[in-house]
Amino acid sequence: MNRIVIHADQGSFTLNRNLYGHFAEHLGRGIYEGLWVGEDAAIPNVRGIRSDVVAALRRLRPAVLRWPGGCFADEYHWRDGIGPRAARPAMLNSHWGGVVENNHFGTHEFFDLCEQIGAEPYICGNVGSGTVREMQEWVEYCTFAGRSPLAELRRAHGREQPWRLPYFGIGNENMGCGGMMRPEYYADEYRRYQTYVRHLSGNRVSKIACGPNGANYEWTEVLMKRAGGLMDGLTLHYYAMPPWGEDKGRATEFSLEEYGRTLERCLVMDELLARHGTIMDRYDPKKRVALIVDEWGTWWEPEPGANPDFLFQQSTMRDAMVAALTLNLFHHHGARVRMANIAQTVNVLQAVVLTDGPRIVLSPTYHVFDLFQVHQDATYLPLHLAGDDWEIGSRKLPAISASASRRDGRIALSLAHTDPGREARVEVSLRGAEAGAVAGRILHAPTVQAHNTFDRPDTVRLRPFAGARLSGGRLEVTLPPASVVTLELTP
Ligand code: AHR
C-alpha cells in the first residue's frame, strides 16, 4: 500500500508556467515540415506556419518556446533570416546532417509562431561563432520602439511595433558544440556578451547563461562564482539516455529491463536539481537566479529509414512515464527550477507532435503535458509519500511518483505509477483542506511499448478515470500498471 499526505494548508511558491516550455531547433524535420510549410503549401497554414500543429500546441498552453537551438544557435546568424525569403542567403547546417538551411524560417516567423501558439519567445544567441555586436543588434532589432537603423530595418521588413522578448540565452552548450570553452573562459565571455543585451523600450530581457550538462558541477560553481550576479537564469541540460557512444536502443522495441533502466536514468534528474541547486544556494541564497532545464527528455536511436542526423524518434508509454516523473521532479524543485523546455516540440527526440506530410499524430508525451497543465501557475503543495518499490533485474524502483498543487480552492494531484506488472493502491490524506468531490483523467495502455502511429493515432490517449473514491475524508486510488493520472479535488 502507498500512502500520501498532502499538506494543503502549506505551499510557499508558485509552479512557474514556464516549466511547461518547449524547444524547437533547426534540426531535421522539427522546424521545416513540422512547424513551417511555407505560404504556398497545400497543408493548411497561416503565413506559412502549419495550422494543425498550431492547434495541437495551443491546446497544451505551451508557456514558452526556445529557438533556434541547441547546437544550431551557435552557428546561426540572424541577419540571414530576415527580409524577402527568396533573397535570404542559404547556409550549411553543419551540426545536423550537413543539410542546406534556406533561412525561410527566421526572426519574424519565430515571433509569429509564438503568437499563434500562445507562447512567450526565448531566443538563444550565438556566442560560439557570432559577435557581441551581432547579439546586441538582434536584441535591438526585436525590441527597440524608437527610430534607429535596426528598428527601421525591422519596419522595412513589415513589423512596425517591437516584439516583447522576455528571455535571451547567451549561447548554448558552450563547453561543447557552442565553442568547446572552459567554464572560466565562458564565464568571462558571458560577462562581456550580456553587457550588450540591453533592456530597450521597456522590454526587460531575462539574461540566461549557459549552464552545465548533466553532472558538471564544476561548471555551475565557476559560473555562479564569476557571473552569478549578472544572470537571471542558468541552464541545465539532461537527457535520460545511455552515455555518449553507447547504443541508445530503439524507441518502440525494448525489454522491461530497458524500461527500468530508463526510469532509473530519468530519476537522476532529482539529484542533478538538488546538487546544482545547492551550489546555486551558496552564491544566491534568495534564489534570484532560476535554474532553467532548457533541454530534457529521452534520446533513442533514430527510427529505421529516417535520416540518422535528424533525430526523429517514436514515443511510447515509456516516454510518457519519463515526462510524468520529470514534471513531478520539476514541481518538487520548483522554488529554484522556474523554466524547462522539452526537447523537442515536433519530429525531434521526445516530441509531443509527429508529422508525416499532411498527417499529424499526438505522442503519449503530449497527453502527459495535457494532464499536467492544471499545475501551471498553481501553488505547489508539499506532500509526504511513503510508497512501495518494485524490482526489475537488479534494480529497485519507486512505484509511485506524485506532486500536488492548489489553485482557487481546487487541489490537483498528479500520480505516475511506474510498475508495469501490477496495479497499485494509494491512500491519500489531505491536511488543512477537505475534499467533497474528485474527478480525473488517466493515460494508460496495455504495454509500455504502446504508441500512436499515423494509422492508429489513438492507441494511447487520455480517458476519464474512475479509480478514485472519497470515503471518510480519505481518498483511495487504484492505479492500473504503468499509468499516469491527474486528479482534481474540489470542496
Ligand atoms: O537537442 C539536440 C541537441 O542536444 C541540442 O542541439 C544540443 O544543445 C544538445 O546537445
Side-chain angles (χ1 to χ4, degrees):
M1 169 67 97
N2 304 277
R3 290 198 169 76
I4 293 175
V5 178
I6 301 176
H7 298 280
D9 49 355
Q10 298 180 21
S12 52
F13 61 85
T14 299
L15 294 173
N16 198 309
R17 66 168 66 186
N18 287 342
L19 294 174
Y20 292 86
H22 287 262
F23 166 42
E25 177 168 12
H26 288 240
L27 195 180
R29 299 189 301 112
I31 298 282
Y32 298 104
E33 289 185 42
L35 290 158
W36 173 261
V37 286
E39 286 162 333
D40 300 330
I43 295 173
N45 67 84
V46 173
R47 294 179 293 280
I49 297 168
R50 61 186 292 173
S51 304
D52 48 0
V53 175
V54 166
L57 293 177
R58 255 198 105 77
R59 287 199 296 274
L60 286 188
R61 297 195 295 141
V64 58
L65 181 63
R66 175 177 184 248
W67 171 86
C71 294
F72 181 77
D74 282 281
E75 64 176 23
Y76 181 63
H77 300 283
W78 69 271
R79 279 179 185 266
D80 295 346
I82 56 171
R85 282 188 205 104
R88 294 184 194 177
M91 67 175 279
L92 185 69
N93 187 338
S94 67
H95 274 293
W96 303 117
V99 294
V100 172
E101 157 71 53
N102 64 15
N103 275 307
H104 282 194
F105 188 92
T107 301
H108 291 249
E109 291 78 13
F110 170 63
F111 279 102
D112 191 6
L113 170 65
C114 288
E115 278 166 20
Q116 290 193 36
I117 64 174
E120 290 203 297
Y122 167 14
I123 286 181
C124 185
N126 180 346
V127 171
S129 70
T131 63
V132 174
R133 176 177 178 178
E134 191 180 353
M135 188 178 286
Q136 175 176 22
E137 290 184 346
W138 199 2
V139 175
E140 182 183 326
Y141 182 87
C142 295
T143 63
F144 189 55
R147 302 265 155 214
S148 78
L150 284 152
E152 293 305 319
L153 186 61
R154 183 190 70 232
R155 290 189 182 101
H157 292 146
R159 176 77 188 192
E160 172 62 33
Q161 295 302 324
W163 292 285
R164 212 174 84 72
L165 176 56
Y167 307 105
F168 197 90
I170 317 286
N172 169 76
E173 293 196 0
N174 300 94
M175 70 294 284
C177 64
M180 303 285 282
M181 300 176 194
R182 294 171 302 110
E184 293 79 6
Y185 181 80
Y186 172 73
D188 284 346
E189 287 292 84
Y190 174 80
R191 296 173 68 93
R192 190 163 72 106
Y193 275 73
Q194 69 79 35
T195 306
Y196 303 94
V197 172
R198 308 283 192 200
H199 308 296
L200 299 171
S201 308
N203 180 78
R204 186 173 191 290
V205 199
S206 288
K207 301 177 185 181
I208 298 172
C210 164
N213 240 339
N216 187 347
Y217 299 112
E218 187 204 353
W219 188 277
T220 300
E221 182 79 42
V222 172
L223 261 289
M224 287 305 292
K225 184 172 179 183
R226 296 189 175 215
L230 296 172
M231 64 179 76
D232 300 293
L234 183 71
T235 65
L236 166 67
H237 289 181
Y238 177 66
Y239 289 92
M241 66 188 281
W244 281 106
E246 282 182 24
D247 181 6
K248 300 185 203 59
R250 294 283 303 277
T252 51
E253 287 159 31
F254 54 87
S255 63
L256 287 183
E257 176 83 36
E258 287 171 89
Y259 167 73
R261 205 179 312 145
T262 303
L263 299 195
E264 190 178 61
R265 285 199 187 103
C266 160
L267 291 170
V268 168
M269 181 69 90
D270 194 22
E271 179 179 336
L272 295 175
L273 299 180
R275 292 187 61 183
H276 287 296
T278 302
I279 297 169
M280 293 175 80
D281 282 348
R282 278 212 302 281
Y283 296 95
D284 174 34
K286 293 197 171 139
K287 301 193 189 324
R288 190 190 59 77
V289 180
L291 184 56
I292 292 180
V293 190
D294 62 5
E295 289 188 28
W296 69 272
T298 55
W299 191 323
W300 312 120
E301 293 296 333
E303 287 301 305
N307 182 328
D309 293 318
F310 283 8
L311 310 187
F312 174 74
Q313 66 189 38
Q314 252 293 357
S315 181
T316 64
M317 267 308 289
R318 172 175 64 169
D319 301 84
M321 200 57 75
V322 166
L325 298 184
T326 305
L327 291 170
N328 278 339
L329 290 174
F330 290 159
H331 292 174
H332 296 312
H333 293 273
R336 174 69 78 181
V337 182
R338 300 200 287 271
M339 189 198 289
N341 309 72
I342 191 166
Q344 300 190 4
T345 316
V346 189
N347 289 340
V348 176
L349 299 176
Q350 194 174 347
V352 294
V353 177
L354 304 177
T355 71
D356 175 27
R359 301 193 292 175
I360 76 166
V361 69
L362 308 179
S363 72
T365 300
Y366 177 98
H367 295 302
V368 171
F369 270 69
D370 192 0
L371 262 185
F372 276 61
Q373 57 167 297
V374 64
H375 297 292
Q376 290 191 24
D377 289 335
T379 302
Y380 171 77
L381 295 179
L383 57 75
H384 179 75
L385 163 65
D388 296 335
D389 290 330
W390 62 282
E391 283 174 30
I392 178 84
S394 55
R395 288 188 176 77
K396 234 186 201 180
L397 288 160
I400 304 291
S401 145
S403 72
S405 68
R406 183 189 63 225
R407 185 177 26 216
D408 304 332
R410 280 170 176 260
I411 293 171
L413 171 65
S414 287
L415 298 164
H417 175 219
T418 60
D419 185 344
R422 57 195 63 76
E423 60 179 34
R425 289 188 53 219
V426 188
E427 199 178 272
V428 184
S429 323
L430 279 182
R431 295 268 162 82
E434 275 180 24
V438 60
R441 291 188 300 167
I442 182 168
L443 189 69
H444 171 60
T447 68
V448 287
Q449 289 85 2
H451 55 280
N452 294 331
T453 64
F454 295 100
D455 296 325
R456 291 172 174 245
D458 283 329
T459 304
V460 186
R461 65 179 166 88
L462 292 176
R463 294 181 168 84
F465 179 57
R469 205 161 54 88
L470 273 168
S471 91
R474 285 231 167 114
L475 175 67
E476 284 171 17
V477 189
T478 305
L479 297 168
S483 56
V484 184
V485 164
T486 292
L487 299 171
E488 286 196 67
L489 299 154
T490 43

